[in-house]
Amino acid sequence: MRLSRYFLPILKETPKEAEIVSHRLMLRAGMIRQQAAGIYSWLPLGLKVLDKIGRIVREEQNRAGAIEVLMPTLQSADLWRESGRYEDYGEEMLRIKDRNKRDLLYGPTNEEMITEIFRSYVHSYKDLPLNLYHIQWKFRDERRPRFGVMRGREFLMKDAYSFDTDQEKARDAYRRMFVAYLRTYRRMGLTAIPMRADSGPIGGDMSHEFIILASTGESQVFCHKDLLDLPIPGEDTDFSGDLTPIMDQWTSLYAATDEKHDEAAFAAIPADKQVSARGIEVGHIFYFGTKYSEPMNAKVAGPDGVERPVHMGSYGVGVSRLVAAIIEASHDDAGIIWPEAVAPFQVGLISMKPGDAAVDAACTSLYAALERSGIETLYDDSDTRAGAKFATMDLIGLPWQLIVGPKSLAEGNVELKRRATGEREVLPIAAALARLG
Ligand code: ATP
Ligand code: MG
Ligand code: MG
Ligand code: MG
């Protein structure tokens, strides 16, 4: 993409309304635009990151055996009357009436709807296990929408729903998601720690929140320091095998959110291993058994022919919140530092002298070569002074900057800068391309 033809509305001033660094940087880097309290448009650069996060989530859900669907944002209130949650959910639910005065709501989550789909088609244990997920916008009328997309009212969530014949099999499904989540966050460059958690309005008795430690986090959390260094299960993990050893390794060390905190158990950890910190909830998984299947009559016949309510779990990832959480975890005074896997472009190609025939020619051919190799490149071909170009590239945080100026070019060289470390290296054009390839 040529910057001169892109839509990247960089803000020079630091927006006063933004209280935390990720919100400030997302506004300054032209990633989002607020349309109403907690409701945002995603501008091109922001949308690219959102899509990359969604793609990683999808790949890991699929790897773990979940199957993608897409449910609507609007739901019928009648569905929620069946589970009893239409009245229970409270003020966070946005209730809407259509022209025929029928009650609708903008979905804050989808347990009811997926249960309705399940009960319409699945009646036998032979069709289980089943795990269906979607990535869809949710609406929760938060009392205090704040911190940009970190706590929006409209936000993008991945929510998966598992169906099994009994509790033991449902726990297997839970473990698959637990392991998939460990992999998902690590691929985005994050260390997310699973912590024992309250199940809130979803209900149920087994629940973990995935938490990223950050001073701006809204949760108080406690954990054993060794959790920060545990190895993440590899790509070759067998999701049809027994994942108990992996989950046991993670759950045998102390980790709990405020609501589940046990002072005595925490005090038993050696003092130098006690971590008490603020955290950002980037995911939350639940096992809740027959809480929805029973009232909504979602039953499957077992091998004995007897019909029993199906055992369910649900598994959420805060896809849009992750954009902000990654920035909270990875930035410096100059701006964002994107981990490669979620970076909107891999390389920022900077022309130091647009209009200079040799520089233009080198940039054009570098740009073509990078694009040919599938390396997403933002080519700053604009007629701006060098200082401003560097500041913009640092702000938007692409992993590499490839700088082409007349002096080095005369010797056949370009300069390559790594955003994360600030390291710069002057090297021949071919070597720079090889490094990026
Ligand atoms: P929180 O405690 O932050 O209000 P929650 O516990 O209400 O979140 P869940 O119902 O567990 O949220 O939803 C699954 C995931 O969706 C959360 O782990 C979080 O990452 C994300 N999420 C929830 N509410 C919001 C929001 N208002 N804005 C952005 N992401 C959100
Ligand atoms: Mg909430
Ligand atoms: Mg929560
Ligand atoms: Mg939660």
Side-chain angles (χ1 to χ4, degrees), residues 398-418:
L398 311 183
W400 296 97
Q401 295 171 18
L402 185 56
I403 303 149
V404 183
K407 259 220 209 106
S408 335
L409 191 60
E411 288 152 25
N413 291 332
V414 291
E415 196 178 359
L416 193 59
K417 174 180 156 181
R418 195 164 176 68

Side-chain angles (χ1 to χ4, degrees), residues 130-162:
L130 186 64
N131 185 328
L132 300 173
Y133 76 95
H134 71 163
I135 299 180
Q136 179 60 291
W137 295 92
K138 305 289 186 285
F139 194 95
R140 295 182 186 176
D141 204 352
E142 301 276 352
R143 180 197 307 273
R144 264 190 90 190
R146 59 178 186 158
F147 300 162
V149 299
M150 189 76 89
R151 181 167 300 284
R153 292 198 295 167
E154 189 181 43
F155 61 96
L156 191 59
M157 194 203 287
K158 183 285 299 182
D159 37 327
Y161 303 89
S162 66

